[in-house]
């Protein structure tokens, strides 16, 4: 691997992890006679290990050519390339650009003017047009599935980062439990949670969304509305985590009540624990996502409460949620009902699940959920946190 700089700089993942990813993806590219793959978004982050200002990346199928990283021009305007390279040891070829023309220039340098080139994610019309106009011999092919398949199963290094991210959210919960009280605004709780995550080592992107009121709710729009709402005695609140450590997410939910507790909220949360316990017994390699959803629906019916179309059981990683690659998808006898965007798939060792079953009270309109994250193991699963699934009373 042609790497210009030293490998001693701080990095969340090792060069061995990088090389393993590159070898696996290049093998898939070669099977399809693709000369390489253009990546954006979190697919780019997966191959670069995260560089501020990254815009486009390109992994050539040819193994002796380095990964090319293109940063938005402003990010290299006042800094030497070596400074960036020394801090980001995954990058072998670093360029400044405003659009895909920087990529075109790289293709011309390595003699890539004919053949099929894959792309992962949504390649903009402008970027695709620039490549096709400048290099009419290049055929662009959607190869997003290669990256999604690769990202579905987490390596040991990835699991370690995600476990750390989940424990960072645990720190936020402790701070909120200690400091939150009636009279505070929702934005105060957001600030406490974020401060707790940052103090525990979370990335600056770490945040929580807090929905609260006399009726339980968990919704990003409600969380925004609640930012300037004052917490009242008797309210119930749900804090949803988007903790991040070295770009990887920690994701789960925590329920708080304030002051005098509404008995229905305690009843619903006890039911959540009962349902979750039953779902967890079904988590094992070889089972299916449909199996988990069926258990969730049957167990919830026994409690007298209703299920939600947003069951809050999904995979995640760099993105929250993440959907499994087509290599893991299987047919569903119920036409996908209740499965969400993931569809049906085979549960496989190395998948990361957030399992926080959602229950709804048809009479009061309350929504309550609770859970943590886990990694699927060869024998079942392992929790990525020591946090107990419990209803916490604050203030």
């Amino acid at each position: 691997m042609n790497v210009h700089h030293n490998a001693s700089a701080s990095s969340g993942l090792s060069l061995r992890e990088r090389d393993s990813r590159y070898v696996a993806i290049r093998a898939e590219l070669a099977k399809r006679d693709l000369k390489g793959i253009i990546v954006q978004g979190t697919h780019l982050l997966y191959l670069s290990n995260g560089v501020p200002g990254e815009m486009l990346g390109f992994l050539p199928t040819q193994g002796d050519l380095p990964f090319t990283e293109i940063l938005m021009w402003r990010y290299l305007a006042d800094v030497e390339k070596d400074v960036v390279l020394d801090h980001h040891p995954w990058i072998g070829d670093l360029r400044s650009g405003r659009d895909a023309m920087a990529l075109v220039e790289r293709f011309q340098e390595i003699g890539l003017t004919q053949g099929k080139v894959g792309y992962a994610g949504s390649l903009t019309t402008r970027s695709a047009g620039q490549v096709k106009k400048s290099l009419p011999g290049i055929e662009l092919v959607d190869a997003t599935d290669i990256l999604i398949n690769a990202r579905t199963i987490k390596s040991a290094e990835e699991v370690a980062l995600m476990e750390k991210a989940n424990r960072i959210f645990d720190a936020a919960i402790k701070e909120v439990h200690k400091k939150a009280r009636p009279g505070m605004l929702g934005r105060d709780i957001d600030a406490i949670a974020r401060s707790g995550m940052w103090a525990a080592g979370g990335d600056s992107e770490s945040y929580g969304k807090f929905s609260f009121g006399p009726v339980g709710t968990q919704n990003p729009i409600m969380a925004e509305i609640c930012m300037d709402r004052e917490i009242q005695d008797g309210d119930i609140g749900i804090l949803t985590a988007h903790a991040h450590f070295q770009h990887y997410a920690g994701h789960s939910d925590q329920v708080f009540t304030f002051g005098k507790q509404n008995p229905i909220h305690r009843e619903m949360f006890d039911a959540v624990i009962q349902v979750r316990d039953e779902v967890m017994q079904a988590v094992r390699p070889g089972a299916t996502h449909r199996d988990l959803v069926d258990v969730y629906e049957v167990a919830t019916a026994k409690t007298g409460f209703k299920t939600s179309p947003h069951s809050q059981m999904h995979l995640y990683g760099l993105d929250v949620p993440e959907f499994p690659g087509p290599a893991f998808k299987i047919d569903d006898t119920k036409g996908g009902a209740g499965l969400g965007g993931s569809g049906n798939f085979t549960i496989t060792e190395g998948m990361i699940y957030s399992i926080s079953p959602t229950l709804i009270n048809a009479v009061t309109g309350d929504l309550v959920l609770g859970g943590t994250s886990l990694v699927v193991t060869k024998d079942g699963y392992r929790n990525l946190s020591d946090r107990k699934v419990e209803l916490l009373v604050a203030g």
Side-chain angles (χ1 to χ4, degrees):
M1 178 67 62
N2 178 22
V3 180
H4 168 272
H5 39 78
N6 66 69
S8 62
S10 174
S11 176
L13 294 166
S14 71
L15 295 181
R16 179 165 46 186
E17 175 78 12
R18 176 200 66 183
D19 293 346
S20 175
R21 293 180 185 185
Y22 287 9
V23 166
I25 291 169
R26 280 172 162 150
E28 293 301 315
L29 293 171
K31 288 178 185 177
R32 303 186 193 183
D33 195 27
L34 298 174
K35 303 301 183 181
I37 190 163
I38 303 167
V39 286
Q40 297 182 95
T42 50
H43 295 314
L44 169 53
L45 195 161
Y46 184 74
L47 297 182
S48 72
N49 204 18
V51 183
E54 59 187 9
M55 185 171 60
L56 287 167
F58 177 67
L59 181 69
T61 305
Q62 187 175 327
D64 60 349
L65 292 175
F67 176 77
T68 293
E69 172 91 359
I70 300 171
L71 302 189
M72 192 179 301
W73 72 272
R74 175 64 183 86
Y75 284 77
L76 286 175
D78 305 309
V79 65
E80 294 293 331
K81 283 186 180 181
D82 285 353
V83 173
V84 180
L85 291 170
D86 286 342
H87 192 70
H88 295 279
W90 279 36
I91 306 304
D93 177 53
L94 181 66
R95 291 159 187 262
S96 172
R98 297 177 184 271
D99 50 32
M101 289 308 297
L103 192 61
V104 169
E105 291 171 5
R106 178 57 176 163
F107 283 9
Q108 292 170 331
E109 283 180 14
I110 62 176
L112 179 52
T113 58
Q114 300 283 333
K116 296 186 294 183
V117 172
Y119 64 88
S122 299
L123 194 62
T124 67
T125 301
R126 183 186 183 198
S127 293
Q130 287 176 323
V131 173
K132 291 177 180 178
K133 182 178 179 180
S134 302
L135 300 169
I138 295 293
E139 178 187 353
L140 295 175
V141 178
D142 188 348
T144 305
D145 62 298
I146 292 177
L147 267 296
I148 297 177
N149 283 335
R151 292 174 55 181
T152 299
I153 302 301
K154 306 303 186 260
S155 69
E157 290 190 30
E158 289 178 289
V159 172
L161 296 185
M162 294 179 73
E163 182 164 7
K164 174 65 174 178
N166 277 284
R167 293 179 185 277
I168 284 168
F169 180 57
D170 293 349
I173 291 171
K174 290 178 182 178
E175 288 298 298
V176 171
H177 189 207
K178 180 170 61 177
K179 297 177 181 179
R181 62 195 77 257
M184 285 184 168
L185 301 179
R187 67 175 61 252
D188 297 327
I189 307 303
D190 292 347
I192 292 169
R194 185 170 300 210
S195 176
M197 286 187 272
W198 287 4
D203 297 350
S204 60
E205 292 82 4
S206 298
Y207 68 97
K209 287 188 176 294
F210 189 60
S211 302
F212 65 91
V215 175
T217 180
Q218 193 261 11
N219 181 286
I221 294 177
M222 287 304 302
E224 181 182 9
I225 292 171
C226 286
M227 287 188 70
D228 293 305
R229 177 184 288 176
E230 190 174 284
I231 299 171
Q232 304 296 318
D233 187 67
D235 277 354
I236 180 172
I238 299 175
L239 181 65
T240 297
H242 290 270
H244 292 270
F245 181 70
Q246 298 288 350
H247 308 295
Y248 278 86
H251 181 64
S252 58
D253 307 273
Q254 176 63 51
V255 182
F256 298 90
T257 58
F258 296 85
K260 186 177 180 181
Q261 191 176 86
N262 184 335
I264 192 62
H265 295 153
R266 167 54 64 183
E267 181 185 353
M268 290 188 70
F269 195 83
D270 288 346
V272 165
I273 293 177
Q274 175 185 328
V275 171
R276 188 174 188 275
D277 286 347
E278 293 192 38
V279 171
M280 297 297 278
Q281 292 177 33
V283 179
R284 63 185 180 277
T288 68
H289 189 56
R290 165 58 68 192
D291 293 335
L292 268 59
V293 172
D294 281 350
V295 172
Y296 160 65
E297 292 176 345
V298 171
T300 299
K302 291 188 293 187
T303 69
F305 298 114
K306 294 177 60 179
T307 60
S308 167
H310 190 198
S311 63
Q312 289 287 16
M313 300 189 297
H314 58 77
L315 306 181
Y316 74 97
L318 291 170
D319 289 317
V320 180
E322 285 184 354
F323 300 136
F328 303 89
K329 294 288 190 74
I330 55 176
D331 291 337
D332 180 56
T333 57
K334 298 181 180 179
L339 296 179
S342 68
N344 197 18
F345 58 90
T346 302
I347 296 172
T348 306
E349 182 180 357
M351 289 180 170
I352 302 284
Y353 253 110
S354 173
I355 298 184
S356 295
T358 304
L359 272 60
I360 296 175
N361 189 315
V363 177
T364 66
D366 279 290
L367 178 154
V368 176
L369 75 167
T372 57
S373 292
L374 59 92
V375 57
V376 179
T377 65
K378 64 179 181 179
D379 300 316
Y381 66 88
R382 179 175 67 83
N383 285 313
L384 296 182
S385 168
D386 293 330
R387 177 166 58 88
K388 183 180 179 181
V389 180
E390 60 182 336
L391 179 61
L392 296 176
V393 180

